[in-house]
Amino acid sequence: MRLAKYVTTLLLCLGISATTQAAETHGRILVLLSGENQLPLKEGKTYPTGYYLNEFGVPADGLQKAGYELVLVTPNGQAPSVDQRSVNPLYFGGNNAEMLRIQSVVASLPGIDKPHKLSDVLAGDLSEYDGLLIPGGHAPLIDLANDPQVGELLKYFHSAGKPTAAICHGPITLLAAQDAPQDFETGLIQGNTPQAKNWIYNGYRMTIFADEEERIFEDSLNGDKIRYYPAKAMVTAGGELSQAKAWSPNVVVDRELITGQNPFSDHALTKALLEQLQNRR
């Protein structure tokens, strides 16, 4: 009792309340990001990409404010890149100051320049993480959707019933949680209709960047084409897609899975993730 009283007194002297201290110990969230920044297109061309600033920064900000520690990881431990198209006040309600604030939040995250390597995380104790966040941008199409180690990570959160939240193109990562995800991806790229094998999210309700939204993006590529459309890929795998009007916020929750359709779903996805985390406490 004397020690507890001493600690409380010390915290008060430092200007830190016991409530604040408690808020800082809610748990840890793993943030899975792509480490790549050149999206392969058809005919061997590429497009510079990365994570979308608001799709990463808005949930990160909300989670930190709620007292969660964020642990960043990429497949090979390389630093993630921001998609420069996303550094735009458009994705922050037209508020340039808010965009700059979120930029600062992301820049100050521990591990932003040197995230953990996925194999190291898998070799550790996954039970220490309370949830998984997968930001969007086109980058997950490069090195997350086809990685069996990513599938191993997803299977843990799925079997443990812990929240997995993915936004915009982030949900394409879910395709890794099947047998032979690389073969499935190859079939998609070849224009076939591949069969997902033992996909853990088969029959789940979900959403992802809509075909209509993807076509609008593709129109900006001066005639170049992406290798496959993510929404069609999710349906092919066995997902039950729920899409809203293009560019409208849309979040779908099914069991432990939380998915957001597009960049404008960032705040709704953050709210849904925090609610699931709160319900598990």
Side-chain angles (χ1 to χ4, degrees):
M1 291 293 290
R2 287 183 178 179
L3 179 59
K5 185 175 181 180
Y6 172 77
V7 171
T8 300
T9 301
L10 178 61
L11 289 171
L12 289 172
C13 290
L14 293 172
I16 304 173
S17 70
T19 300
T20 301
Q21 183 194 32
E24 293 174 349
T25 57
H26 280 173
R28 307 180 83 193
I29 304 298
L30 194 64
V31 184
L32 176 63
L33 294 147
S34 167
E36 302 293 335
N37 56 27
Q38 292 295 321
L39 177 69
L41 302 173
K42 290 184 177 180
E43 299 182 3
K45 298 181 180 180
T46 61
Y47 168 78
T49 188
Y51 63 81
Y52 252 50
L53 179 61
N54 70 305
E55 295 171 11
F56 179 15
V58 169
D61 183 49
L63 287 163
Q64 286 193 316
K65 284 178 177 177
Y68 289 94
E69 175 190 353
L70 303 185
V71 178
L72 310 187
V73 59
T74 60
N76 293 316
Q78 64 272 59
S81 303
V82 65
D83 188 319
Q84 291 300 323
R85 285 196 181 194
S86 71
V87 186
N88 188 327
L90 168 70
Y91 300 110
F92 300 88
N95 189 331
N96 190 67
E98 177 64 3
M99 181 191 76
L100 294 176
R101 186 184 74 81
I102 292 296
Q103 271 190 306
S104 177
V105 168
V106 170
S108 65
L109 288 172
I112 186 62
D113 294 320
K114 193 175 181 180
H116 293 275
K117 188 176 180 179
L118 180 54
S119 59
D120 293 337
V121 170
L122 290 171
D125 183 7
L126 292 177
S127 69
E128 67 182 79
Y129 301 107
D130 298 281
L132 176 65
L133 172 66
I134 309 171
H138 281 84
L141 288 152
I142 309 170
D143 62 343
L144 298 187
N146 54 17
D147 189 335
Q149 285 196 321
V150 170
E152 186 179 341
L153 182 71
L154 290 166
K155 288 173 185 176
Y156 166 75
F157 284 93
H158 172 73
S159 62
K162 294 182 178 182
T164 294
I167 183 170
C168 200
H169 289 83
I172 200 68
T173 303
L174 304 175
L175 293 178
Q178 61 173 300
D179 298 345
Q182 293 170 344
D183 292 345
F184 186 81
E185 180 189 62
T186 298
L188 294 172
I189 293 169
Q190 292 175 343
N192 300 327
T193 306
Q195 180 117 22
K197 300 176 182 177
N198 298 318
W199 190 41
I200 63 175
Y201 301 107
N202 183 48
Y204 267 65
R205 292 183 298 106
M206 60 183 65
T207 190
I208 196 170
F209 204 57
D211 285 352
E212 181 181 355
E213 293 164 331
E214 199 70 78
R215 280 191 290 270
I216 292 172
F217 161 76
E218 208 172 44
D219 286 345
S220 71
L221 298 180
N222 299 317
D224 292 333
K225 301 290 183 181
I226 62 173
R227 297 190 296 176
Y228 65 87
Y229 275 24
K232 182 179 179 180
M234 304 306 278
V235 172
T236 300
E240 294 187 10
L241 224 56
S242 175
Q243 304 287 69
K245 182 180 178 181
W247 312 118
S248 299
N250 180 35
V251 169
V252 176
V253 179
D254 189 351
R255 287 157 279 187
E256 85 284 358
L257 184 63
I258 306 162
T259 49
Q261 178 175 324
N262 52 42
F264 303 103
S265 306
D266 52 358
H267 287 283
L269 180 112
T270 304
K271 181 175 182 289
L273 175 56
L274 287 171
E275 287 175 352
Q276 277 220 18
L277 290 167
Q278 177 66 30
N279 290 338
R280 287 184 55 83
R281 287 175 55 200

